[in-house]
Amino acid sequence: MAVIKIEHLSKSFGRNQVLKDVNFQVEKGEVVCLIGSSGSGKSTLLRCINLLETPSGGQIIYKGEDILDEKHNIQEYRTHLGMVFQQFNLFNNHNVISNCTVGQIKVLKRSKKEAEETALKYLKIVGMDQYVNAKPRQLSGGQKQRVAIARALSMNPDVMLFDEPTSALDPEMVGEVLKVMRQLANEGNTMLIVTHEMEFAKEVADRVVFMDKGVIVEEGPPAQVLVNPQHERTKEFLKRTLK
Amino acid sequence: MSLEWILSIIENNWQMFLRGAYYTLLISSISTIIGAFIGFFIGIMHTIPVRKKGVKFYSLKLINFMLTCYVEFFRGTPMIVQAMVVYYGLDIAFGIDMHFITAGILVVSLNTGAYMAEIVRGGIVSIDNGQYEAASAIGMNHFQIMLHVVLPQVARNVLPATGNQLIMNIKDTAVLNVIGVTELFFQTKSISGNNFRYFESFFVACVLYFIMTFTASRILLYVEKRLDGPDAYQKEQKEAV
């Protein structure tokens, strides 16, 4: 059963239409990679899914309910989605552990003790449990991103959304973040990843979605889309990125 | 010869000087704190996002319009005039008979609040939108985001500007002598009126003002450093929590 189903989604910024009639869905336990050149609408699609951008039209169906419905509680819906940003966006006034607990305590109303245990569990998974008291500004980019992943996981979301999680990192740190993501994928988490790391996509994705100019051009298993693309635009894009 | 005068003025009037300095510090520090709260309130009101046009939207607009009027009025008129208007004007117009110290605190607070409003609004806008988005993404509402993520950082960032306000207030409370507040300038005027040594008396006041402002700025720098903590971080060796 699909966790998230998107139907006829469109998004315009003024007169600029960035998403045109996008239809797609994410199954439970599936790892989907969104690829495509800059400005193709991948990030906007991801941001529309957790309503950081308000879609101009269409439906987003989560567990059978249309969350664009006026009555739907957006805050409650968002707790089921974990978001990891390109720029990490850690809370600068909180230390590592409190970055991971503040949402649990204030939004999920967990006790401080429970929240800290959960946070520590995920900080251990991302290998940041030794830095619980560090402030974000004391960490490197890769470390920040791993904390950001732990923060999202601490909310026990149904789907993890990654918006180009390694694009702001230098090559050495990309590895450490991808390692964590690979592990999460192997553990059966549902993940939707916007990425430029083709090798990574090939390796972990169950399905690759190629977007261009606001529409989904091609989708399928990585062996098909990345190795034997059917579409002219996909071929062209891959020629440019894979060298 | 001047030095002798200065020493004898201090010897004969130290209690008056101290009482003046006490009121100066009292009014300026209380007013800075109240003003900061006013500033935060207005800054927060000005940055509440309301998308849909409705009752909420228009009432917020009305409140913000009135707050802007207040800010513009208090920034745009001299404090010495405001002091006269508040102290004498309210008494004559509405029969509100305030103690001059209450009136002094009121005027300086409202003045500080008007300046702090823009400082705080700038501080809120300067927190990068990414943190706001990240907090939204874990399901926090606007109020929670402001309280737990944005405002603590704003408070840290506006601290230097608040310190500036405190220093300005320490100096500017001098204008409250027009409504009879017995702060340092008023006391010095009385002292020099008795001994006719204007230079020496006001020189003492000058030194006292400087001691107060300099101490205030050092204390604030120290507080800033303490809040920031050390730059480097040592790994936890043992299991934490």
Side-chain angles (χ1 to χ4, degrees), chain B residues 65-191:
Chain B
F65 173 74
M66 294 194 297
L67 291 175
T68 307
C69 288
Y70 149 71
V71 169
E72 293 301 333
F73 177 78
F74 274 86
R75 278 200 313 190
T77 52
M79 193 157 84
I80 193 165
V81 178
Q82 293 161 13
M84 297 296 269
V85 170
V86 168
Y87 186 59
Y88 295 111
L90 288 183
D91 192 12
I92 294 166
F94 304 104
I96 302 169
D97 184 16
M98 263 183 290
H99 191 268
F100 49 78
I101 294 198
T102 321
I105 290 175
L106 185 67
V107 167
V108 182
S109 300
L110 289 174
N111 228 282
T112 312
Y115 282 97
M116 287 298 294
E118 285 302 287
I119 293 168
V120 172
R121 197 181 61 83
I124 292 174
V125 173
S126 77
I127 301 296
D128 75 309
N129 201 31
Q131 290 185 57
Y132 191 94
E133 285 188 346
S136 311
I138 56 174
M140 287 187 174
N141 57 34
H142 176 74
F143 178 74
Q144 289 171 323
I145 299 171
M146 285 309 257
L147 193 62
H148 301 296
V149 178
V150 176
L151 291 181
Q153 296 181 56
V154 173
R156 162 65 189 89
N157 291 346
V158 302
L159 202 60
T162 314
N164 241 347
Q165 282 293 332
L166 176 61
I167 287 166
M168 276 167 60
N169 286 345
I170 290 173
K171 297 184 298 176
D172 290 354
T173 44
V175 306
L176 296 177
N177 80 85
V178 295
I179 57 169
V181 178
T182 51
E183 40 67 52
L184 186 52
F185 180 82
F186 185 95
Q187 299 286 53
T188 315
K189 222 168 56 167
S190 311
I191 294 165

